Amino acid sequence: GTAYQVTSILTDNKARELIFTQENRFGQTQKALGRPTAAKSGTTENWRDLWTMGYTTDVAIGVWVGTSGTSDTSALPERDGIQTAGPIWQNMIQEIHKQPEFAALLNGPDGRPLAKDFPQPREVVRGKVCPVTGHKETSGSSGSKTELLVRGKEPTLACNQLSDYEREELTKAIETTRKGGTRWASGAVDSIRRYSNAAGVRGAPVGDAPRNTSEDSAGSDDPPSNQDDDQIIEPAD
């Protein structure tokens, strides 16, 4: 059930919008294949390791681009996994589904193509949660939304309660918005503010955080974003 939740997240293009914008490489790949396609990119310190991994119901593909030696990579230009390993991964996963000689290798044990949709385990149920924090739907919370939950592992905290980890991450996010120098996608800062208000945490930004206009995405392999949808190279840590 938990694995299915992860797959649901990795195939949810809307969940990627705040960081990679709606027209991102993973969403384009999913649209081209016409089937749910899970994907995740990653980048290590000083861009030494740049990777993209993704899967459908019938194949998993991983691509790594980087330096395996001890050479200094700090002077390399800022590039992340989706910009470097991403195009290779995209081409590979599309080709393997489109070319007949490859597609035949993806058939199941009975020789037939596997279903495009990931099968939903019986322990996964749809339930109502708080739309802001994802915790229990409680009286006084602003509405609710339906999410995929694992039976027996439903949220236990109320909408306005945070775990120690969540509170720590929220504090970091608020501090990052106030420092400036980070490019935020449209609506990202507002999302932090709503989360903070729901949890009763003070100090959240009132409006959009200052944007970093000194950098752009020149040289990016991804579609250029407009002024209201600046990309964050990686989620703020």
Side-chain angles (χ1 to χ4, degrees):
T2 302
Y4 185 82
Q5 284 182 315
V6 173
T7 294
S8 176
I9 293 170
L10 296 181
T11 56
D12 186 353
N13 197 46
K14 188 171 182 59
R16 287 188 282 260
E17 287 184 12
L18 291 183
I19 295 178
F20 295 114
T21 76
Q22 187 175 25
E23 290 298 319
N24 60 79
R25 186 176 301 282
F26 296 153
Q28 291 174 340
T29 303
Q30 182 163 270
K31 184 177 181 180
L33 295 180
R35 64 193 298 159
T37 306
K40 179 71 176 72
S41 64
T43 308
T44 60
E45 186 176 359
N46 290 335
W47 313 282
R48 181 175 296 278
D49 302 286
L50 308 162
W51 56 268
T52 293
M53 300 191 73
Y55 55 93
T56 55
T57 55
D58 52 12
V59 67
I61 294 176
V63 176
W64 171 83
V65 175
T67 302
S68 58
T70 58
S71 57
D72 181 17
T73 59
S74 60
L76 293 176
E78 283 192 18
R79 303 285 278 174
D80 62 14
I82 197 172
Q83 294 172 310
T84 50
I88 303 172
W89 172 86
Q90 184 180 39
N91 290 336
M92 287 182 66
I93 200 165
Q94 290 188 22
E95 284 296 305
I96 203 169
H97 281 98
K98 292 180 179 179
Q99 298 299 330
E101 63 269 29
F102 294 140
L105 300 175
L106 306 182
N107 292 334
D110 59 359
R112 298 180 179 180
L114 296 175
K116 292 183 177 182
D117 292 323
F118 293 94
Q120 182 173 316
R122 287 179 293 179
E123 64 265 32
V124 172
V125 296
R126 294 186 178 275
K128 299 289 186 179
V129 299
C130 171
V132 182
T133 61
H135 292 175
K136 289 175 59 176
E137 178 188 18
T138 53
S139 59
S141 60
S142 57
S144 65
K145 68 175 180 178
T146 302
E147 288 284 4
L148 294 172
L149 307 175
V150 179
R151 188 178 288 108
K153 296 182 179 180
E154 295 89 346
T156 57
L157 294 176
C159 180
N160 62 349
Q161 293 179 313
L162 298 181
S163 66
D164 291 340
Y165 171 77
E166 290 170 334
R167 190 171 295 277
E168 180 182 350
E169 291 299 302
L170 175 58
T171 299
K172 289 180 182 178
I174 293 174
E175 290 175 351
T176 302
T177 63
R178 297 195 173 282
K179 287 179 182 177
T182 299
R183 291 172 289 165
W184 296 91
S186 177
V189 175
D190 183 62
S191 177
I192 296 173
R193 179 185 58 78
R194 289 187 292 108
Y195 187 95
S196 177
N197 288 343
V201 176
R202 297 183 178 182
V206 176
D208 282 344
R211 294 177 181 273
N212 181 1
T213 57
S214 62
E215 299 179 11
D216 57 32
S217 55
S220 170
D221 289 312
D222 296 318
S225 58
N226 60 40
Q227 187 175 3
D228 292 330
D229 288 310
D230 288 333
Q231 287 180 265
I232 303 172
I233 296 296
E234 287 289 336
D237 188 8

